mmCIF file of all heavy atoms in Angstrom:
data_model
loop_
_atom_site.group_PDB
_atom_site.id
_atom_site.type_symbol
_atom_site.label_atom_id
_atom_site.label_comp_id
_atom_site.label_asym_id
_atom_site.label_seq_id
_atom_site.Cartn_x
_atom_site.Cartn_y
_atom_site.Cartn_z
ATOM 1 N N LYS A 6 83.530 102.989 78.892
ATOM 2 C CA LYS A 6 83.879 102.035 79.960
ATOM 3 C C LYS A 6 84.298 100.685 79.383
ATOM 4 O O LYS A 6 85.221 100.048 79.888
ATOM 5 C CB LYS A 6 82.703 101.856 80.929
ATOM 6 C CG LYS A 6 82.294 103.126 81.639
ATOM 7 C CD LYS A 6 83.411 103.664 82.504
ATOM 8 C CE LYS A 6 82.932 104.872 83.287
ATOM 9 N NZ LYS A 6 84.010 105.497 84.045
ATOM 10 N N PHE A 49 70.070 92.462 89.783
ATOM 11 C CA PHE A 49 69.308 93.697 89.607
ATOM 12 C C PHE A 49 69.224 94.083 88.136
ATOM 13 O O PHE A 49 68.201 94.546 87.659
ATOM 14 C CB PHE A 49 69.946 94.815 90.437
ATOM 15 C CG PHE A 49 69.298 96.152 90.264
ATOM 16 C CD1 PHE A 49 68.010 96.379 90.712
ATOM 17 C CD2 PHE A 49 69.976 97.185 89.644
ATOM 18 C CE1 PHE A 49 67.406 97.615 90.546
ATOM 19 C CE2 PHE A 49 69.389 98.427 89.477
ATOM 20 C CZ PHE A 49 68.099 98.644 89.934
ATOM 21 N N GLN A 51 70.376 92.559 84.147
ATOM 22 C CA GLN A 51 70.817 91.369 83.436
ATOM 23 C C GLN A 51 71.475 91.780 82.136
ATOM 24 O O GLN A 51 71.142 92.811 81.553
ATOM 25 C CB GLN A 51 69.650 90.418 83.124
ATOM 26 C CG GLN A 51 68.916 89.895 84.328
ATOM 27 C CD GLN A 51 67.825 90.833 84.785
ATOM 28 O OE1 GLN A 51 67.142 91.442 83.983
ATOM 29 N NE2 GLN A 51 67.680 90.985 86.082
#
Side-chain angles (χ1 to χ4, degrees):
K6 299 298 185 185
F49 176 67
Q51 299 86 38

